[in-house]
Amino acid sequence: MTTASETRLSCRTPSPVEPLPHQLLAVLGQHRMATTNQLHELLRPGVARQTVSAPLNKLRRDGLVDYTVLPASNRSRAWYLTSDGARLTKDFPALRGRPPYPITSATAASLKTPHTLTVVRTHLAFVTDARRRGDEHGHLDWTPEVSHPLSDGERVITDAVMHYTLVEGDDRTKLRAFIEVDRTTMSSERLASKLIEYARLWSYEPQPAGRPRARHPGAPGPVWLRWYPIFPRVMFVLTGASRHVLDNRISDLQAMTAEHPLVGTLARQVPMGAAVLEDLEGSDENASVWVPLTGGEPQPWTEL
């Protein structure tokens, strides 16, 4: 007999109608890299690990994927597309417009693994929470390394753009977020300055050639409207240091929000928060672990 929880899980996991090898290639094309365990949890949770590892090894024999062995991990593998795999997947409907970045060697892969796999860890925390809640957030609802233009040829590159559908009875609410994943590898000041970049993106309106830079009637509006109906919330996920250090970094994000006029204006219009990755991974569904950057008590990210 199928339980209610099993039915809900089956509705929120990838369809078995699409061949698993195709899904594996699509995930690696989208995320750049993932471990066997991560692919297992994203695509076939609750079944034998061999279900995923066998087709991965077949894809490797076909020259479409390869792996690097993670250090101090009991020989865990991080998988990525080869050049042939990247060429094959570039025309997948889900990946159209996504620039292929094939990894050419295990050495090159090893340089990318720490940050890339931490971003996938973050995605898995949201996927796991969505399955518990019965929301919609799947393996392709998370796009890493998304670039948006700013003025003077500059760009803001977000670690990931998340698409999430909150399901409450018959109501379905579309949520979007810019996700910044911080492993404590940059200074706290540099991390906080990311908020200025997002504030600039929020306010940036390209000006038609030959016109002065002041606003004109009929101007196209902010550049972000090309991709989003409303500006995505801005969320920082921190890891890689003691709780004291991470709390200080969150305080610095709050200080930037309070002190920078453009960031403060953004914060009055757009929800922004920060959380510790380990709290997301160990929390119950939609737990109150997100600290609002405008101050106040921690709350669920959907209520920021």
Side-chain angles (χ1 to χ4, degrees):
M1 180 177 178
T2 301
T3 67
S5 61
E6 289 171 336
T7 300
R8 186 171 70 171
L9 178 63
S10 67
C11 291
R12 307 304 179 198
T13 54
S15 169
V17 174
E18 185 179 30
L20 180 56
H22 185 283
Q23 292 177 343
L24 289 166
L25 291 172
V27 167
L28 293 177
Q30 181 91 334
H31 293 75
R32 313 304 188 201
M33 184 182 295
T35 67
T36 309
N37 285 338
Q38 288 174 334
L39 292 167
H40 180 212
E41 288 301 312
L42 277 174
L43 296 175
R44 293 297 185 270
V47 304
R49 176 181 159 125
Q50 183 67 15
T51 304
V52 169
S53 60
L56 279 171
N57 287 320
K58 173 64 165 57
L59 290 170
R60 184 172 185 260
R61 291 193 296 272
D62 292 340
L64 299 176
V65 304
D66 206 345
Y67 66 81
T68 184
V69 176
L70 301 177
S73 65
N74 196 25
R75 298 197 59 77
S76 294
R77 297 175 176 182
W79 297 86
Y80 55 90
L81 296 179
T82 63
S83 296
D84 287 344
R87 281 193 293 270
L88 177 66
T89 60
K90 69 181 179 65
D91 292 324
F92 281 13
L95 300 179
R96 283 177 187 156
R98 181 102 171 105
Y101 292 115
I103 298 172
T104 55
S105 68
T107 300
S110 67
L111 298 175
K112 296 177 178 291
T113 51
H115 185 73
T116 303
L117 296 183
T118 304
V119 174
V120 180
R121 270 182 66 194
T122 305
H123 178 32
L124 268 171
F126 284 98
V127 168
T128 301
D129 191 45
R131 288 170 181 163
R132 285 194 296 250
R133 292 173 47 87
D135 294 336
E136 297 176 12
H137 177 65
H139 61 294
L140 297 178
D141 293 328
W142 179 276
T143 308
E145 301 171 30
V146 180
S147 176
H148 301 87
L150 295 174
S151 59
D152 302 321
E154 297 179 87
R155 307 188 73 82
V156 55
I157 301 175
T158 186
D159 284 332
V161 173
M162 178 176 71
H163 297 265
Y164 191 105
T165 302
L166 189 65
V167 180
E168 297 173 307
D170 293 331
D171 296 329
R172 300 172 73 254
T173 304
K174 301 287 187 182
L175 302 176
R176 302 162 193 84
F178 292 131
I179 306 291
E180 286 294 325
V181 178
D182 171 48
R183 296 184 299 113
T184 326
T185 56
M186 66 175 69
S187 71
S188 188
E189 177 70 17
R190 184 179 169 195
L191 175 68
S193 70
K194 291 288 291 188
L195 286 168
I196 301 176
E197 295 180 19
Y198 283 112
R200 291 177 61 203
L201 175 63
W202 174 73
S203 63
Y204 172 49
E205 296 190 23
Q207 299 300 317
R211 288 187 176 187
R213 297 184 65 85
R215 181 189 292 271
H216 288 269
V223 69
W224 55 264
L225 282 171
R226 298 178 187 176
W227 305 283
Y228 314 106
I230 60 174
F231 196 82
R233 58 193 64 204
V234 180
M235 307 197 322
F236 289 77
V237 178
L238 293 78
T239 189
S242 68
R243 176 68 59 162
H244 176 71
V245 169
L246 298 181
D247 285 345
N248 284 341
R249 292 170 82 82
I250 292 174
S251 295
D252 289 345
L253 289 168
Q254 292 178 314
M256 179 65 78
T257 303
E259 295 168 3
H260 194 284
L262 188 57
V263 176
T265 302
L266 170 66
R268 289 190 287 273
Q269 303 291 326
V270 176
M272 302 196 299
V276 173
L277 177 54
E278 287 74 13
D279 289 344
L280 301 183
E281 293 174 321
S283 63
D284 295 329
E285 64 181 53
N286 206 25
S288 299
V289 298
W290 288 87
V291 179
L293 296 191
T294 51
E297 294 299 316
Q299 53 193 268
W301 73 269
T302 55
E303 299 176 16
L304 286 171

